Amino acid sequence: MTLETVATNRSHGGTQGVYRHASTATCTPMEFSVFVPDHAPGTHLPVVWYLSGLTCTQANVTEKGEFRAACAEHGLIFVAPDTSPRGDGVPDDPEGAYDFGLGAGFYLDATRAPFDRHYRMKTYLEDELPGVIAKHFPADMARQSIMGHSMGGHGALTFGLRNPGRFRAVSAFSPIVAPSQVPWGEKAFSGYLGDDRTAWGEHDACAMIEAGARVDEILVDQGTADGFLAEQLKPELLADACAKAGIDLTLRMQEGYDHSYFFISSFMADHLAWHAKRLKA
Amino acid sequence: MTLETVATNRSHGGTQGVYRHASTATCTPMEFSVFVPDHAPGTHLPVVWYLSGLTCTQANVTEKGEFRAACAEHGLIFVAPDTSPRGDGVPDDPEGAYDFGLGAGFYLDATRAPFDRHYRMKTYLEDELPGVIAKHFPADMARQSIMGHSMGGHGALTFGLRNPGRFRAVSAFSPIVAPSQVPWGEKAFSGYLGDDRTAWGEHDACAMIEAGARVDEILVDQGTADGFLAEQLKPELLADACAKAGIDLTLRMQEGYDHSYFFISSFMADHLAWHAKRLKA
């Protein structure tokens, strides 16, 4: 398990790094970024996972996310993976669309050819990358939390619901909460999983909650000027599911904010403070 | 004086905009970004000018600068211009190098052909753009300050020294302090101003101070791991000039930081707090 350092930069009283390794899950090289605040020798810090949205690599949040000041303040490691496998032989959307294939792995293991060979982001992120982080960084893997944006909000919610004992906090920015019911999810799930909708429910936060999956609480920020709000995001479906399930959802509709990093960065420090409180409880 | 709105995004409790106008100084379209925090109707806010470094447009600091939270907290408008004229007919470096021509205007008015027609960033930023800001934004032009990075640090220092009554605070990240004495400046000044070095001194912070220009105080942050430190930046020359002139220079050597926005963003909030204190005094 060799880890290649692509770049490191000192920032906000810590080290922002970009790393590359050969993934056994995706059978490709994978890049991710990690911020580690300065810390006393021998100490281990809680880990916040950030899953990015459609079209993104690790670079978007690493450059625009404004997370480092808060991570340094609270003593949190921040891990930002890529959103799909990439490289030679990795199939893409047949028409090169932004919402399937490269940059659009949807945080699941594909079962349909030709995507089933490389598109295994669930196994990569649930089973493989945590081991890499534990081995190479001063990470306290008993204290993890997860957040994400849009498709990555979908990832954070579904990973959190599937692993309630692993993640002490789950939050999202403008998440896809019910992919089975919206165009982005219908296209992705058809392509990666096939047309049998019973398999879709395992990767659909609202369906998972209806089927009994539970976390104690969820924090969601959603901009009211988000162009994807009505067609793709539908936070009211998550609100309904959480209300019925007794999950304590804090859904904050942020007036005038859109779907961009100008929105995410505005509330990143809030989310990290909320995570820190739960990671250190 | 028509102002075209390229984009606006709500962010950090304010509005981040990108705007375009036809500049009479450069005879080209010019783009700039402005962040305006929410404010009571009818109030006018102090203005912080940020001048960017080589290769940058307004977009670099707008996306990576992490200035909005602090500007919202202190009630500051943040203006980020481009670093050169661009567009049809604007001459570039003959070999397309990054350190001359496009993205490298050096905040002066060129006197040598063919650059003298469009490369007029001094007139653009000292005379023209302030009028645009005053007309179209809720700006209190009696309370302005200026900062910049690298080539933009050179711009901030020279504009501040030339206009001590206009700018209530002057600061810089890793500035070029003595362009006449370093390769970047020698190339740019030769190309834009010609070989007569007497003209160079009007755009060289250290030379201006030696010739009698004064500001009360200057704040500079400089990374010790900056690859340009020894050859291009030479902050010790500014320290010497300020010491002789009685200018109160705070020069902070930041251990391990480099020349990137990972560095700038780490100390942006510090600089803005320092500016705010002086803008509101």
Side-chain angles (χ1 to χ4, degrees), chain A residues 8-14 16 62-64 66-69 255-258 260-263 265-267, chain B residues 8-14 16 62-64 66-69 255-258 260-263 265-267:
Chain A
T8 61
N9 299 83
R10 187 148 179 78
S11 193
H12 285 286
Q16 178 64 60
T62 303
E63 296 178 353
K64 304 179 189 176
E66 302 194 20
F67 56 84
R68 282 177 286 273
E255 186 67 27
Y257 286 83
D258 61 22
S260 71
Y261 272 92
F262 292 110
F263 157 65
S265 63
S266 299
F267 301 101
Chain B
T8 62
N9 298 83
R10 186 147 181 79
S11 194
H12 285 285
Q16 178 64 60
T62 303
E63 295 178 354
K64 304 179 189 176
E66 302 194 20
F67 57 84
R68 282 177 286 272
E255 186 66 27
Y257 285 83
D258 61 21
S260 72
Y261 272 93
F262 293 109
F263 157 65
S265 63
S266 300
F267 301 100

Side-chain angles (χ1 to χ4, degrees), chain A:
Chain A
M1 195 161 64
T2 307
L3 190 66
E4 177 190 350
T5 300
V6 176
T8 61
N9 299 83
R10 187 148 179 78
S11 193
H12 285 286
T15 302
Q16 178 64 60
V18 176
Y19 306 92
R20 186 185 297 129
H21 68 130
S23 166
T24 56
T26 66
C27 302
T28 64
M30 291 294 286
E31 247 182 45
F32 59 92
S33 84
V34 180
F35 178 71
V36 181
D38 292 352
H39 54 282
T43 56
H44 288 73
L45 306 179
V47 177
V48 179
W49 294 83
Y50 177 91
L51 305 184
S52 294
L54 289 166
T55 76
C56 290
T57 67
Q58 56 75 20
N60 302 69
V61 72
T62 303
E63 296 178 353
K64 304 179 189 176
E66 302 194 20
F67 56 84
R68 282 177 286 273
C71 285
E73 178 189 346
H74 300 298
L76 305 175
I77 290 175
F78 190 94
V79 180
D82 204 344
T83 54
S84 78
R86 300 175 193 272
D88 291 346
V90 176
D92 193 7
D93 183 275
E95 296 171 358
Y98 76 97
D99 56 1
F100 188 76
L102 300 181
F106 268 86
Y107 302 104
L108 49 73
D109 288 351
T111 53
R112 273 190 76 213
F115 302 102
D116 52 346
R117 175 161 162 73
H118 296 294
Y119 283 81
R120 295 169 50 79
M121 293 299 289
K122 172 179 173 293
T123 294
Y124 173 63
L125 290 172
E126 282 190 348
D127 300 343
E128 183 177 10
L129 192 55
V132 177
I133 299 299
K135 177 170 177 184
H136 293 281
F137 299 90
D140 178 358
M141 302 306 281
R143 292 186 292 164
Q144 298 181 61
S145 69
I146 193 162
M147 62 167 70
H149 170 236
S150 195
M151 177 183 73
H154 145 71
L157 294 173
T158 55
F159 282 34
L161 286 161
R162 196 158 45 231
N163 304 281
R166 184 187 299 187
F167 299 111
R168 296 198 190 181
V170 178
S171 75
F173 305 95
S174 43
I176 305 172
V177 302
S180 306
Q181 302 183 49
V182 303
W184 275 342
E186 290 176 328
K187 175 176 176 180
F189 287 4
S190 299
Y192 293 131
L193 303 173
D195 292 333
D196 177 6
R197 288 187 171 237
T198 56
W200 296 15
E202 295 171 26
H203 302 282
D204 180 308
C206 285
M208 291 169 77
I209 293 170
E210 282 158 25
R214 293 290 180 271
V215 291
D216 291 336
E217 50 182 344
I218 299 170
L219 170 63
V220 170
D221 276 307
Q222 171 63 58
T224 63
D226 184 328
F228 302 111
L229 176 54
E231 187 181 12
Q232 306 280 9
L233 303 177
K234 299 183 183 288
E236 65 279 7
L237 297 178
L238 182 65
D240 288 349
C242 287
K244 285 179 193 155
I247 294 173
D248 181 7
L249 170 68
T250 301
L251 170 59
R252 306 192 298 195
M253 299 302 292
Q254 301 289 2
E255 186 67 27
Y257 286 83
D258 61 22
H259 201 67
S260 71
Y261 272 92
F262 292 110
F263 157 65
I264 299 168
S265 63
S266 299
F267 301 101
M268 180 62 85
D270 265 13
H271 280 238
L272 288 168
W274 191 86
H275 282 240
K277 191 173 170 186
R278 283 148 185 82
L279 287 165
K280 297 177 177 182

Side-chain angles (χ1 to χ4, degrees), chain B residues 98-111:
Chain B
Y98 75 97
D99 57 1
F100 187 77
L102 300 181
F106 268 86
Y107 302 106
L108 49 72
D109 288 352
T111 53

Side-chain angles (χ1 to χ4, degrees), chain B residues 70-277:
Chain B
C71 285
E73 178 189 346
H74 299 298
L76 306 175
I77 290 176
F78 190 94
V79 180
D82 204 343
T83 54
S84 78
R86 298 176 195 272
D88 292 344
V90 176
D92 193 7
D93 183 275
E95 296 170 359
Y98 75 97
D99 57 1
F100 187 77
L102 300 181
F106 268 86
Y107 302 106
L108 49 72
D109 288 352
T111 53
R112 270 190 78 214
F115 302 101
D116 54 345
R117 174 162 162 71
H118 297 295
Y119 283 81
R120 294 170 50 79
M121 293 299 289
K122 172 179 175 290
T123 295
Y124 173 63
L125 290 172
E126 283 190 348
D127 300 344
E128 182 177 11
L129 192 55
V132 176
I133 299 299
K135 178 171 176 183
H136 293 281
F137 298 91
D140 178 358
M141 302 306 282
R143 292 185 293 162
Q144 298 182 62
S145 69
I146 193 162
M147 62 168 68
H149 170 237
S150 194
M151 178 183 72
H154 145 72
L157 293 173
T158 54
F159 282 34
L161 286 162
R162 197 159 44 231
N163 304 280
R166 184 188 298 189
F167 299 111
R168 295 198 190 181
V170 178
S171 76
F173 305 95
S174 43
I176 305 172
V177 303
S180 306
Q181 302 183 50
V182 302
W184 275 343
E186 290 176 328
K187 175 176 177 179
F189 287 4
S190 299
Y192 293 131
L193 302 173
D195 292 332
D196 177 6
R197 289 187 171 236
T198 55
W200 295 16
E202 295 172 25
H203 303 282
D204 180 308
C206 285
M208 291 168 78
I209 292 169
E210 282 158 25
R214 292 291 180 270
V215 292
D216 291 337
E217 51 181 344
I218 299 171
L219 170 63
V220 170
D221 275 308
Q222 171 64 56
T224 64
D226 184 327
F228 301 111
L229 176 54
E231 187 181 12
Q232 305 281 9
L233 303 177
K234 299 183 183 287
E236 66 278 9
L237 297 178
L238 183 65
D240 287 349
C242 286
K244 285 180 193 154
I247 294 173
D248 180 6
L249 170 68
T250 301
L251 170 59
R252 306 191 300 195
M253 297 303 291
Q254 301 289 0
E255 186 66 27
Y257 285 83
D258 61 21
H259 201 67
S260 72
Y261 272 93
F262 293 109
F263 157 65
I264 300 168
S265 63
S266 300
F267 301 100
M268 180 61 86
D270 265 13
H271 280 238
L272 289 168
W274 191 84
H275 282 240
K277 190 172 171 186

